[in-house]
Amino acid sequence: MKYTVHISRFIVGVLFVISGGIKINDPMGFSFKLEEYFGADVLNLPFLAPYALGIAVFLVVVEVLLGVMLLVGYKPKFTVWSLLLMIVFFTFLTFYSAYFNKVTDCGCFGDAIKLTPWESFGKDMVLLLLILLLFAGRRYITPLMSERTGMFVMAAALLGCVFFAHHVLNHLPVIDFRPYKVGANITKGMIVPEDAPKPLYEYSWKFETDGEEKIVKTEGDYPEVDGDFIGVDTREIREGYVPPIHDFTIEKDGEDHTVEMLEEDKLVMVIAYNMGKSDEEGFPAVKEATDRAIAAGYKVIGMSASGEARTTAVREKYDLDFDFYFTDETTLKTIIRSNPGMVRLHRGTVVQKLHYNDAGELETD
């Protein structure tokens, strides 16, 4: 039992530190995932949505701290109880999400490692088993240092987490795991290879035969059945290849300008996914940077999911010398974790991404 506890302690502690560390690198992204869970069609807790970012930061800091506490053996009883309560909650959440197909990615490891809902549930079940072993053998979890030293270690870990979270929220994630990271080509990211796996569907054909309902399942072909056709239900049983970038468009007045924009040698995109939620103190800096970019020969466009009335109001208020185009809100949230934020491209390749706090660093040479 003693050696089992030591192995479980190492695995659980490392996983919690890694999982929390990945999410603390991008707490904004985790907050978007929490907003999905708080939605009316999932947990129906919309009143928590405005606090999603604060909850996200709190959860990821606690996740990292519990992992460190377990590894160093600081307050083992409190640590194991906290781990157990947390994993029970997240196991319920991932099961609910998987069973009812509500949230397709739990966000357990941010954008670094994508897990299906059932994979997430399986991962949490393994962790639950390991934590139950820790709970049963918690007397074997011995401190690796004195109480005083452990206190200093935990204080340092807490300060480090808070400082890092503050930094990435006021700039951008230190490591970008998304398909729009610097160096990525958006056009290439949308390509579907010719030999890519195709989706596979199961069709349940309903017929009335001799007064009874009969169901015949096929993978597409209409079955030869003696009877009256009632209807058909379709279910995807195998997902096809989905390119890393599959929902990127640049539209204006009903026209798609994606191709022409991605062919520009010098393009700056100002992204404000939702004008109602934008940090308006960022627009003066964006104004100065984009004026400089336009003078240097760059084409500058705005990208938002907000309506024309709202984008026009922002343009006039801050005297922005560029037009706004429409793009899906989720896509814009994925591109950059700043509202507003700036992305500089060369022929579809991302060469620079900036939080509005760093707008002055826009390179225009």
Side-chain angles (χ1 to χ4, degrees):
M1 184 66 178
K2 180 179 180 180
Y3 293 108
T4 301
V5 168
H6 288 333
I7 294 171
S8 300
R9 171 183 178 179
F10 177 78
I11 294 174
V12 174
V14 169
L15 280 177
F16 265 71
V17 171
I18 291 175
S19 175
I22 290 173
K23 290 196 289 287
I24 207 169
N25 173 68
D26 184 15
M28 186 71 71
F30 186 46
S31 74
F32 294 152
K33 189 60 58 178
L34 289 181
E35 287 178 359
E36 287 187 51
Y37 279 111
F38 296 152
D41 59 338
V42 185
L43 297 178
N44 195 25
L45 300 171
F47 66 92
L48 290 178
Y51 311 104
L53 182 57
I55 295 172
V57 173
F58 174 78
L59 286 177
V60 297
V61 170
V62 168
E63 190 173 1
V64 172
L65 293 182
L66 287 176
V68 174
M69 289 172 72
L70 183 62
L71 289 172
V72 303
Y74 184 71
K75 295 191 179 298
K77 184 176 180 180
F78 171 81
T79 301
V80 173
W81 268 107
S82 300
L83 287 169
L84 183 60
L85 292 174
M86 179 173 279
I87 199 61
V88 166
F89 172 72
F90 281 115
T91 302
F92 159 75
L93 205 60
T94 52
F95 172 77
Y96 180 87
S97 176
Y99 186 80
F100 294 101
N101 195 30
K102 293 295 186 179
V103 180
T104 56
D105 173 27
C106 72
C108 305
F109 294 100
D111 291 293
I113 304 174
K114 294 287 189 179
L115 298 177
T116 66
W118 284 115
E119 287 172 344
S120 300
F121 174 67
K123 180 265 299 177
D124 284 345
M125 285 298 296
V126 172
L127 278 174
L128 177 59
L129 175 61
L130 293 174
I131 293 172
L132 285 173
L133 288 172
L134 292 174
F135 186 82
R138 57 190 180 276
R139 65 184 180 276
Y140 296 114
I141 304 176
T142 54
L144 300 182
M145 55 194 68
S146 68
E147 177 82 9
R148 182 181 181 85
T149 304
M151 186 183 303
F152 280 116
V153 169
M154 295 315 304
L158 175 60
L159 288 175
C161 287
V162 172
F163 173 80
F164 190 69
H166 180 270
H167 174 78
V168 296
L169 286 172
N170 286 279
H171 299 281
L172 289 177
V174 173
I175 303 175
D176 192 346
F177 294 103
R178 287 157 288 151
Y180 300 94
K181 62 186 177 183
V182 172
N185 185 277
I186 296 176
T187 303
K188 290 181 179 179
M190 294 190 287
I191 295 175
V192 178
E194 292 184 3
D195 58 347
K198 307 295 182 184
L200 184 64
Y201 296 93
E202 179 184 79
Y203 297 84
S204 299
W205 306 89
K206 297 180 182 179
F207 296 88
E208 184 178 341
T209 304
D210 299 328
E212 295 183 357
E213 184 178 291
K214 181 179 181 180
I215 297 178
V216 179
K217 295 183 179 181
T218 72
E219 293 183 0
D221 295 333
Y222 186 86
E224 295 183 5
V225 177
D226 292 330
D228 296 325
F229 174 69
I230 300 175
V232 61
D233 294 327
T234 306
R235 182 173 69 93
E236 186 178 54
I237 57 178
R238 188 185 68 201
E239 187 179 27
Y241 174 81
V242 179
I245 299 174
H246 55 274
D247 49 9
F248 180 86
T249 59
I250 303 174
E251 302 173 10
K252 187 172 180 62
D253 299 327
E255 295 185 13
D256 191 341
H257 298 269
T258 308
V259 174
E260 64 181 270
M261 293 300 179
L262 294 180
E263 290 177 348
E264 289 282 345
D265 284 326
K266 295 181 175 182
L267 178 68
V268 171
M269 302 187 305
V270 176
I271 295 175
Y273 70 85
N274 185 325
M275 291 294 189
K277 297 180 180 180
S278 292
D279 296 317
E280 293 204 16
E281 66 270 21
F283 282 110
V286 167
K287 160 68 175 173
E288 187 278 330
T290 54
D291 284 351
R292 182 161 47 85
I294 293 171
Y298 277 80
K299 182 175 183 61
V300 179
I301 63 172
M303 296 174 65
S304 179
S306 299
E308 184 175 355
R310 190 177 286 273
T311 56
T312 299
V314 171
R315 278 189 62 201
E316 293 176 352
K317 181 177 180 179
Y318 296 100
D319 192 27
L320 302 176
D321 194 18
F322 54 86
D323 293 329
F324 272 88
Y325 292 72
F326 176 83
T327 304
D328 176 72
E329 182 170 325
T330 301
T331 300
L332 296 177
K333 287 179 177 179
T334 304
I335 294 173
I336 192 166
R337 304 302 199 206
S338 178
N339 186 21
M342 303 176 68
V343 180
R344 184 167 62 92
L345 297 97
H346 170 70
R347 292 188 173 274
T349 297
V350 179
V351 293
Q352 192 178 19
K353 296 173 71 171
L354 295 168
H355 191 282
Y356 66 79
N357 285 329
D358 304 311
E361 298 178 13
L362 180 68
E363 299 173 3
T364 58
D365 296 336

